[in-house]
Amino acid sequence: MKMAWKLLAALAATVLGLASAATAPQAQAKPGAKRPNIVVLVADDWGFTDLGAFGGEIATPNLDALALRGVRFSNFHVAASCSPTRSMLLTGVDNHRNGVGNLREAMPTEHLGRPGYQGSLNQNVVTVASLLQDSGYRTYITGKWNVGSEPYNLPNRRGFDRSIVQGDTGSDNWVPSQRYLPHSAQVEWFEDGKKAVMPAEFYSSEFFVDRMLGYIESDTRKDKPFFAYVGFQANHVPVQAPRSFVDKYRGRYQEGWTALRETRAAKATAMGLLSNPSNPTKVPAMVTLNTTTNWNALSAADRAHMEREMEVYAGMAEAMDFHVGRLVDSLRKSGELENTVFVFLSDNGPEGSDYDEAQLWIRTQYTQATEQLGGKGAYGVVGPSWASASASPLSTYKFYAGEGGIRTPMFIAGPQISQAAHISRSLTHVTDIAPTLLDMAGVTAPTGQYQGKPVEAIAGRSLLPLLAGTASVVRGPQEALGYELSGNLAVFKGALKLSKNLPPLGDGQWHLYDLTQDPGETHDLQSALPTEFATMQADYAQYAQAHGVLPMPAGYSPQNQVLINSFWHYWLPAYGSMVAASLVVLIGAIAGLVVWRRRIKKANGTDASNARKPAV
C-alpha cells in the first residue's frame, strides 16, 4: 500500500511539473553564456538635459560613466506622469491596457474604475520581475512603487523576492512619514508585502541604496543572477538634499533659466544627441511656454530665492548619483560589475507646477525660507521656468505631451552591448524596456497566456538589435505609436509627431512636427503636409479606440482634479463626520442664541408695556 501511495505521489509530481513547465516561461540562456545581472535605476521628474551625459552641468559622474559604457537613447519616450510610466516599465504593456490609464490622484471621477482606469495594475498583466523570478533570477526592489497598493499588487505578489517600497506618489525625503501633499491620510510604506516599520528620519536616496545593497549582499543564492529595481524620489517635490551637495552649486545659476536653457541646448547638440552640429537645434523661446518669467524682471530677493531652488535641485540629482556610485562600487568589489546590465531613465519630464493651489497646506507643514531650502522641514519647488531649462531644448514639461514632458534621458550599459558610447536616435518607448531585459536574460515572454491565465501581450520591442549594432531602428517609418494622458495626445510615425495639448501650455488643437529637424516643436507642418496631418489623426483615433482611451470632461485640469480628489477621497472621509458634528453644534448654538435674544426682547417689551400702564 505504501509503495502504491509513493507511485501515485511521484506520478502527481510529474504531472504538476509538466503542467508548470507548459505555462511558465523558461530561461533560454545562450550556450556557455552567463546570464547578466540587471539593475534598473528610475529617476523621478528629471529633464532631458539634467544628466551630464545628456548635456547638463549637474555633476553626475557615476551615471555618466555608465552611460559612456553603453548606448544613450536620445529619442526615448515615457508617459508624462509617474505611475503610468512605471506601469509600462514593469509590464511592457500600454498603460491604458494595464490599468493605469491615468495617475489615480489626477483621475476624473467619471473615469475611475472604468476598464483601463483602475489607477493600479490590473490582473491581466504580468511584470518583468515575475518572468525573471520564474526563470531563476533573485529579484529585489527598493523605493517608489506607485502602481497599486492592493495586496495582489504589492511587489511580493508581482515577482519580487524582497522589497521595501513607497506605495504612493511621493513623500518627504528626510522624514518618511511626512506627506508632500494632503491627498492621503499617511504615506504608504510596505516591506515584503506588509506595512513597513520605517526609521523616524532618513535621506531617501541613501536609504534606498542601503536597502538594495543589503538585499544583494545577504542573499545566499550567489549562483543565481539578480534583478534589482531602485525607484528614487530624486527629484520629486519637495526638492531636498544634503547641504554638502547643495552648496557646491552656490552662484552657478545666477544668470537665470533662459541662459541655462540655451547653454544646455548647445551642449546637447554638440554631443550629437539631437541634430548634427552643422544643423543646430532651434531652441523655443522661453516665452512660448506661457508660464515662464523674465529673469531680469525679478527682484534681487526673488532671484536669490530661485537660484537657491535650482541649487537644491542640482544637489539632489548629484546626491542620487553619489549613492548610485556606492551601488556600482559594491558590484565592482564583488566581481559582478562586468556582468551587470544597467538601465537608467526618468519616469517623466521635469515638474513645472508651482504648487500655488497647495500653498496654504504647505505653509502649515513646511518653511520656504531661502536659506533653509533643501533641509529638513523645507519645501523646495523649482517651478515652470527652471523646469523649462531642465527640459532644454524641448517644449513643455511634466503632464504635457510636448517632448519636454515625455522625452527623457535613458541609457543601457553592460554586456551584450557592442557599441560603447553610442547614441541611438531611434524612436523608442518605455514599453521597450521589459522585452529588452527579457531578451538579454534569455526569457521568453508570454503571448496571451501566463500560468494558465490570459494576459496582455507585451507591446514594446526589444532594443537588443540596437544595442548589438545589428539594426538602427526598431519601428518602421509607417508604424504609428499612440499616446494619451490627461487629455494630452500624441502619435509618432517615423520622424513625424502629431500632438495636442490642453491649456495652459497648449491650445487644444492638433499640430504636426518633424522631430528629426525640429525636436523643440517650433514649426507646425500641418499646412505643408496635409495628407500626413489627416492620416495621423486617423492613426490616433485607431489607437484610442483599440486602447479604450476615454475623453476628458470639459474643463479638466490635472492640478484641479488632484484637489477635487483629495477632498472627496481623503478630506471628506477623514474629517466629514467631525465637520458635520461641528456644524450641528454651531447651528444649534446659533439657533439657541436667536431664541434667547427673542425671549429677552419679548421680556423687555412686556416690562416696557407694563411700565406705561396707569396706576389704578
Side-chain angles (χ1 to χ4, degrees):
M1 182 64 72
K2 289 183 179 180
M3 181 62 71
W5 278 113
K6 287 182 179 180
L7 288 172
L8 286 172
L11 179 61
T14 301
V15 171
L16 289 173
L18 290 172
S20 176
T23 57
Q26 298 298 308
Q28 299 174 356
K30 294 179 180 179
K34 182 180 179 182
R35 294 201 291 165
N37 305 312
I38 298 168
V39 175
V40 175
L41 306 168
V42 185
D44 204 322
D45 295 357
W46 282 35
F48 181 72
T49 49
D50 276 340
L51 190 66
F54 277 73
E57 75 296 333
I58 300 172
T60 53
N62 296 295
L63 290 168
D64 294 347
L66 290 172
L68 294 176
R69 286 177 50 202
V71 176
R72 283 168 286 170
F73 291 82
S74 67
N75 195 10
F76 172 75
H77 292 81
V78 294
S81 69
C82 47
S83 56
T85 290
R86 291 162 196 265
S87 72
M88 292 189 281
L89 172 63
L90 284 163
T91 66
V93 176
D94 184 274
N95 61 298
H96 294 89
R97 299 190 71 90
N98 69 32
V100 193
N102 201 341
L103 183 70
R104 180 185 289 272
E105 290 81 358
M107 195 178 298
T109 305
E110 300 93 324
H111 291 182
L112 187 59
R114 300 276 297 276
Y117 289 85
Q118 290 84 358
S120 57
L121 291 179
N122 60 38
Q123 298 191 62
N124 299 326
V125 290
V126 57
T127 70
V128 65
S130 292
L131 297 171
L132 292 172
Q133 184 186 58
D134 289 347
S135 74
Y137 271 73
R138 39 194 171 115
T139 54
Y140 324 111
I141 181 171
T142 63
K144 184 170 173 177
W145 176 242
N146 200 207
V147 291
S149 297
E150 304 90 345
Y152 74 86
N153 257 332
L154 293 177
N156 64 307
R157 300 280 294 277
R158 287 293 190 176
F160 289 96
D161 299 329
R162 299 301 311 277
S163 60
I164 186 159
V165 297
Q166 180 175 250
D168 42 19
T169 57
S171 66
D172 191 274
N173 292 282
W174 292 111
V175 180
S177 62
Q178 173 65 51
R179 298 170 297 162
Y180 80 97
L181 278 181
H183 53 55
S184 61
Q186 61 186 5
V187 183
E188 297 180 323
W189 289 99
F190 301 95
E191 184 166 14
D192 298 334
K194 300 176 181 178
K195 291 287 185 180
V197 178
M198 299 296 292
E201 296 182 13
F202 68 0
Y203 185 65
S204 62
S205 294
E206 180 180 25
F207 180 80
F208 298 153
V209 170
D210 280 349
R211 295 303 302 269
M212 182 57 72
L213 289 173
Y215 289 155
I216 295 171
E217 292 168 1
S218 64
D219 199 323
T220 59
R221 301 170 296 165
K222 295 293 194 290
D223 58 319
K224 296 179 180 296
F226 65 80
F227 171 60
Y229 179 118
V230 186
F232 292 96
Q233 287 185 182
N235 281 356
H236 195 281
V237 294
V239 179
Q240 298 166 317
R243 198 176 187 93
S244 59
F245 289 101
V246 176
D247 284 347
K248 293 180 181 181
Y249 294 91
R250 192 175 288 277
R252 177 65 183 79
Y253 298 105
Q254 61 186 349
E255 294 184 3
W257 35 66
T258 302
L260 181 64
R261 183 169 165 83
E262 292 173 350
T263 299
R264 285 191 177 192
K267 187 174 180 182
T269 300
M271 295 172 80
L273 288 160
L274 297 165
S275 55
N276 295 322
S278 59
N279 179 27
T281 297
K282 183 177 180 182
V283 183
M286 296 286 286
V287 70
T288 62
L289 299 176
N290 299 336
T291 57
T292 54
T293 304
N294 184 334
W295 178 259
N296 294 322
L298 298 178
S299 68
D302 286 343
R303 284 199 301 272
H305 182 83
M306 293 311 299
E307 278 186 60
R308 195 58 173 172
E309 293 276 22
M310 190 60 191
E311 289 165 9
V312 175
Y313 182 93
M316 192 176 192
E318 183 178 342
M320 189 193 105
D321 178 86
F322 172 82
H323 292 294
V324 169
R326 292 173 51 226
L327 177 58
V328 172
D329 286 343
S330 176
L331 295 177
R332 181 180 293 111
K333 290 175 182 175
S334 68
E336 293 289 345
L337 182 61
E338 294 305 316
N339 192 46
T340 300
V341 171
F342 288 87
V343 179
F344 169 86
L345 70 149
S346 176
D347 61 352
N348 45 249
E351 172 66 88
S353 301
D354 53 20
Y355 284 80
D356 275 352
E357 301 90 344
Q359 278 299 309
L360 179 61
W361 181 86
I362 289 172
R363 288 169 183 170
T364 66
Q365 308 291 316
Y366 288 93
T367 179
Q368 292 184 302
T370 300
E371 283 307 311
Q372 294 185 52
L373 289 174
K376 181 183 174 184
Y379 201 104
V381 179
V382 293
S385 298
W386 285 128
S388 298
S390 289
S392 178
L394 310 176
S395 66
T396 76
Y397 34 69
K398 183 177 178 179
F399 293 124
Y400 292 92
E403 290 294 279
I406 60 176
R407 188 192 293 208
T408 68
M410 192 274 279
F411 67 75
I412 302 177
Q416 302 184 32
I417 298 173
S418 61
Q419 302 189 89
H422 180 68
I423 294 171
S424 171
R425 299 193 192 98
S426 171
L427 173 64
T428 50
H429 191 254
V430 65
T431 54
D432 300 335
I433 300 294
T436 303
L437 299 183
L438 294 175
D439 208 356
M440 294 178 118
V443 176
T444 303
T447 55
Q449 289 283 325
Y450 174 71
Q451 296 186 345
K453 298 178 181 178
V455 294
E456 292 279 349
I458 286 178
R461 306 294 174 81
S462 173
L463 303 179
L464 195 55
L466 296 180
L467 298 171
T470 60
S472 59
V473 296
V474 293
R475 288 175 174 82
Q478 295 304 311
E479 186 176 348
L481 176 65
Y483 168 81
E484 187 275 344
L485 186 69
S486 294
N488 297 314
L489 325 171
V491 62
F492 300 86
K493 200 171 190 178
L496 297 178
K497 175 188 177 185
L498 181 74
S499 63
K500 178 192 293 187
N501 282 290
L502 299 178
L505 298 195
D507 58 8
Q509 303 299 313
W510 285 113
H511 298 278
L512 182 66
Y513 304 104
D514 182 335
L515 295 182
T516 301
Q517 301 299 320
D518 181 28
E521 299 172 288
T522 63
H523 182 54
D524 190 348
L525 297 173
Q526 60 177 291
S527 297
L529 300 173
T531 301
E532 291 84 349
F533 184 65
T535 300
M536 291 180 71
Q537 288 182 65
D539 291 332
Y540 178 79
Q542 184 177 2
Y543 161 80
Q545 182 177 13
H547 290 78
V549 177
L550 299 176
M552 304 307 293
Y556 170 82
S557 157
Q559 292 85 355
N560 291 340
Q561 193 65 49
V562 169
L563 294 178
I564 293 168
N565 289 344
S566 296
F567 175 77
W568 286 109
H569 301 306
Y570 168 57
W571 288 101
L572 190 61
Y575 300 110
S577 58
M578 183 175 69
V579 171
S582 299
L583 286 174
V584 169
V585 171
L586 180 61
I587 292 170
I590 293 172
L593 180 61
V594 170
V595 170
W596 178 76
R597 291 189 64 184
R598 284 180 177 175
R599 286 179 178 175
I600 293 297
K601 186 175 181 180
K602 184 176 182 181
N604 289 339
T606 301
D607 291 345
S609 177
N610 290 336
R612 288 194 296 271
K613 289 181 180 179
V616 177

